[in-house]
Amino acid sequence: MKIFRIAALSCLLVLSLNSCKKEQETEWKVEIKNPAEKVEMTDISKEFYDQNIPLEQFTAKFPWFQGTVPDEDFGKRRANAQEIKIYKEAIGKIDQKKLQNELQDLFSHIKFYFPKFKSPKVFLFSSALQMIQDPLLYDEETNFLFIDISGFMGDKNANYKGLEMYFQKSMNPSNIVPKVSRMFAENIVPYKGDSQKFIDLMVYNGKIMILQDAFLPETPDYLKMDYTKAQYDWSSANEANIYNYFVENNLIFGDDHRLAERFIAPGPFSKFYTEIDNNSSPMVGIFTGWQICREYFKKKPETKLLDFLKMDATQIFNEAGYKPKLEE
């Protein structure tokens, strides 16, 4: 007997409405009176591939960009037709003004909760597909943020042939800002790894997702989680079934290290070891942790965000009283 539902089209329409309602109930909208510093954004590759700019002039302006690449090889790369083609396709898919505004809004929201935050200087560049699975780099010392635009050319892009689709689903221009937000959230709340209980993993990721709510109040939930809309709808439709599975199999306080791989790590689907696996959404442990943390704030809306981030996972779980109801 299947314990999970596959939503029909009519159900998806209802879920979309319920999802919107749920997001409205957990809004983190705030009035930004002291916005972050204006975002400076530079397209490094535009200058790198411009043959009218002498290499010496380029390296003087961006001395750290060459790294350990020999001068001769570095010079040849500037004229590499394939690299130039990839760069032009990647930059053509990005509305730079829109991205700059969205990053400005993100950084202003981070500063609202963490007043010492300073907007990083943003550099766009193309790695020519070399860094597409890890397309963000932040240097805390210089406060430089690097975004590899070749990692955001859109799922099913011909350049991504051979790359697993579950990676590609979050390689769209719309994924840039949520990924940047998550990166800063993880810097604010680094994972200590001092406990391997499943509840600790779920609530830690739930805290990160609460920061996503706070930093990106206008962003659709599915983008905050690196989900597709269909994946988010599946997890929402099966929220109670997922939690019930965890409870019935005594996983909530389990310490089996394989639980992270089954329900936290990115992948094509989650591993319930049932016939529904191939139709399930990945990372349902993160989704559940997020709902636990949201439930906590519903019960205790007066809680300060910084105080919440310091709380023990078991305390959050117990005080949230999270028990989604199974539909009959």
Side-chain angles (χ1 to χ4, degrees):
M1 181 179 68
K2 292 186 177 182
I3 60 171
F4 293 93
R5 295 186 296 116
I6 302 176
L9 179 59
S10 59
C11 182
L12 284 178
L13 294 175
V14 174
L15 283 170
S16 296
L17 293 174
N18 288 339
S19 176
C20 291
K21 182 180 179 181
K22 191 170 188 179
E23 288 184 35
Q24 290 169 0
E25 291 173 351
T26 56
E27 284 180 348
W28 286 80
K29 292 181 181 179
V30 293
E31 182 181 356
I32 303 295
K33 295 181 179 180
N34 185 25
E37 301 82 3
K38 184 178 180 181
V39 174
E40 292 183 52
M41 194 166 75
T42 303
D43 180 356
I44 303 177
S45 291
K46 180 180 180 180
E47 298 188 40
F48 178 68
Y49 293 119
D50 186 348
Q51 297 296 308
N52 294 316
I53 299 176
L55 181 60
E56 295 76 12
Q57 181 180 324
F58 176 84
T59 54
K61 186 175 181 180
F62 306 108
W64 28 259
F65 191 66
Q66 183 173 350
T68 58
V69 180
D71 289 345
E72 184 178 354
D73 294 339
F74 197 56
K76 288 179 180 179
R77 285 190 59 187
R78 300 186 76 196
N80 186 296
Q82 182 62 22
E83 286 198 20
I84 294 172
K85 180 182 177 183
I86 291 171
Y87 160 70
K88 288 184 176 180
E89 180 179 351
I91 199 65
K93 292 181 179 293
I94 294 174
D95 183 334
Q96 294 188 58
K97 186 62 178 176
K98 180 173 180 284
L99 176 59
Q100 188 174 24
N101 289 338
E102 289 179 346
L103 288 172
Q104 177 74 42
D105 188 62
L106 166 63
F107 297 155
S108 293
H109 278 83
I110 296 177
K111 184 177 181 180
F112 178 87
Y113 295 101
F114 301 92
K116 293 183 179 180
F117 178 82
K118 301 291 184 183
S119 293
K121 188 169 184 179
V122 180
F123 295 96
L124 306 182
F125 76 102
S126 169
S127 74
L129 310 177
Q130 298 304 303
M131 291 174 53
I132 57 175
Q133 290 182 256
D134 194 14
L136 301 179
L137 177 64
Y138 175 65
D139 183 71
E140 190 170 353
E141 185 176 340
T142 59
N143 201 25
F144 286 175
L145 171 63
F146 299 90
I147 301 174
D148 178 9
I149 57 174
S150 71
F152 298 98
M153 292 195 288
D155 58 293
K156 299 181 182 178
N157 186 284
N159 291 292
Y160 298 157
K161 185 178 180 180
L163 184 64
E164 293 281 2
M165 278 304 301
Y166 70 86
F167 277 119
Q168 294 190 39
K169 68 178 175 59
S170 62
M171 296 174 69
N172 300 287
S174 59
N175 294 113
I176 295 176
V177 175
K179 281 183 179 288
V180 171
S181 176
R182 185 180 183 95
M183 183 194 69
F184 280 109
E186 290 175 345
N187 283 349
I188 292 168
V189 188
Y191 180 61
K192 297 179 180 179
D194 50 359
S195 175
Q196 292 300 313
K197 288 185 178 180
F198 191 40
I199 186 61
D200 294 307
L201 292 173
M202 286 197 294
V203 171
Y204 168 75
N205 281 281
K207 289 179 178 180
I208 298 300
M209 295 309 301
I210 286 294
L211 287 177
Q212 291 285 69
D213 284 337
F215 297 164
L216 301 169
E218 303 287 349
T219 300
D221 282 352
Y222 74 92
L223 288 176
K224 297 174 190 175
M225 253 201 82
D226 278 348
Y227 265 172
T228 63
K229 182 65 168 64
Q231 287 175 328
Y232 184 83
D233 286 341
W234 188 93
S235 291
S236 294
N238 291 286
E239 179 180 348
N241 292 309
I242 294 166
Y243 181 72
N244 192 52
Y245 176 90
F246 292 160
V247 171
E248 288 188 349
N249 288 276
N250 298 314
L251 302 183
I252 299 293
F253 291 95
D255 58 3
D256 187 338
H257 69 277
R258 291 172 295 184
L259 293 173
E261 189 271 332
R262 291 172 61 188
F263 302 116
I264 301 290
F269 48 80
S270 293
K271 299 179 177 67
F272 297 96
Y273 303 144
T274 71
E275 69 273 21
I276 201 65
D277 280 14
N278 289 339
N279 295 314
S280 70
S281 297
M283 304 182 291
V284 295
I286 296 177
F287 179 84
T288 300
W290 189 10
Q291 307 317 310
I292 291 171
C293 291
R294 280 180 163 179
E295 190 66 24
Y296 181 90
F297 273 99
K298 285 182 184 178
K299 298 280 178 60
K300 298 176 177 289
E302 73 284 356
T303 304
K304 301 294 185 183
L305 180 60
L306 270 64
D307 293 335
F308 172 77
L309 296 175
K310 297 174 184 177
M311 288 177 59
D312 175 74
T314 301
Q315 180 185 356
I316 291 173
F317 176 73
N318 289 336
E319 295 184 8
Y322 176 72
K323 293 180 181 179
K325 293 181 180 180
L326 286 166
E327 293 186 14
E328 297 180 0

